[in-house]
Amino acid sequence: MPGRALICVDVDAVAGWLGSYGGEDSPGDVSRGMWAGEVGIPRLLALFKKFGITTTWYVPGHSLDTFPDEMAAVRDAGHEIGLHGYSHENPTALSIEQQRDILEHTFDQVTQFLGKPPQGSVAPWWEASAEGIDLLLEKGITYDHSFQHRDSEAYYLRSGDSWTNIDYSKDAKSWMVPVQRGTPTGLVEIAVNWDLDDLPPMMFMKGAKSTQGFVDAHVIEQKWKDWFEYLWENEREKGFIMPITVHPDVSGRPHVLKMLERFITWVNTHKGVEWVTMLEIADDFRKNNPAPKDAKMPKGFK
């Protein structure tokens, strides 16, 4: 397969304002989250139906509780659903007990909703904690979508990488130490990338220093086209993946929906490209790439 494109939908909605975007005390911002669930989700579903694309949705437990009918429509349309925290909490700010409690709750919640366990997880704000990998393995999650060691190929994630921060109060030799690689796991990683995310450039957040919120959608469209074109020209023989992250909060807006229509139509002019789910990528990678010897495997895997 020369190339596979993926659309991942993070249903941050109100949870995003509660856990990451600084709008937890703003009725106005919360109303934007409600719009994402009640208007943005149906619009994206209609877009995917138009093109016959099956996608992967990562859903905070808060969004599943708040928008049960909309999420049922996602499920019933055959899209994959994975984990994304409860209130889009930053895992690096949580204790291991809090992380475990959230994982246990949302895993059971999504399992009941789907009638089967979820296989994939995305750390809110892509801020994976030091303990997060092992927690996912213990729960039997088979793939993750939170790290950036690669960009166009899946790989097996390591656990326990460590590095030395600079301490200007000490001698320089104390911090001149390379990264220490951790131990291999059997958790498949499908990398994320901020350049393939619709939210930072196209959603206004009052308290975020890096957000612009008003970038012309054509600029993002051209960036994504350039990204795909490079992979098509240089990595087609070995096969490549291009996972794009969108949010109903952003891509449910009319101008971004039009951009996505143009982009999908353009990608489809490349013969042999497929639109697939994240689980399809993870399963295919695992089938063709045995896990490292003695790697810690997800619970239930041998």
Side-chain angles (χ1 to χ4, degrees), residues 190-302:
I190 304 171
V192 298
N193 197 291
W194 288 109
D195 285 306
L196 299 180
D197 189 322
D198 65 348
L199 191 146
M202 293 191 288
M203 189 173 87
F204 175 65
M205 290 179 281
K206 291 172 289 198
K209 295 179 181 179
S210 63
T211 186
Q212 298 185 63
F214 303 105
V215 173
D216 187 339
H218 291 83
V219 173
I220 306 305
E221 176 185 352
Q222 188 58 54
K223 178 166 66 170
W224 290 1
K225 284 182 175 180
D226 289 345
W227 187 293
F228 182 92
E229 196 70 23
Y230 173 87
L231 297 178
W232 183 257
E233 293 171 354
N234 295 279
E235 300 185 12
R236 185 166 72 232
E237 288 190 11
K238 68 175 184 178
F240 65 85
I241 59 176
M242 182 175 172
I244 297 167
T245 299
V246 305
H247 301 73
D249 318 65
V250 179
S251 286
R253 300 293 181 182
H255 67 297
V256 187
L257 284 164
K258 294 300 293 182
M259 181 270 278
L260 289 173
E261 286 189 3
R262 294 191 301 270
F263 179 74
I264 293 169
T265 300
W266 177 83
V267 168
N268 288 345
T269 65
H270 297 75
K271 186 176 180 179
V273 173
E274 286 189 351
W275 295 90
V276 297
T277 65
M278 298 289 278
L279 183 57
E280 289 177 272
I281 291 294
D283 286 348
D284 182 66
F285 177 81
R286 192 183 301 280
K287 180 176 67 176
N288 293 294
N289 300 272
K293 185 179 180 181
D294 301 325
K296 184 175 180 180
M297 301 297 293
K299 184 178 180 181
F301 269 80
K302 297 182 179 179

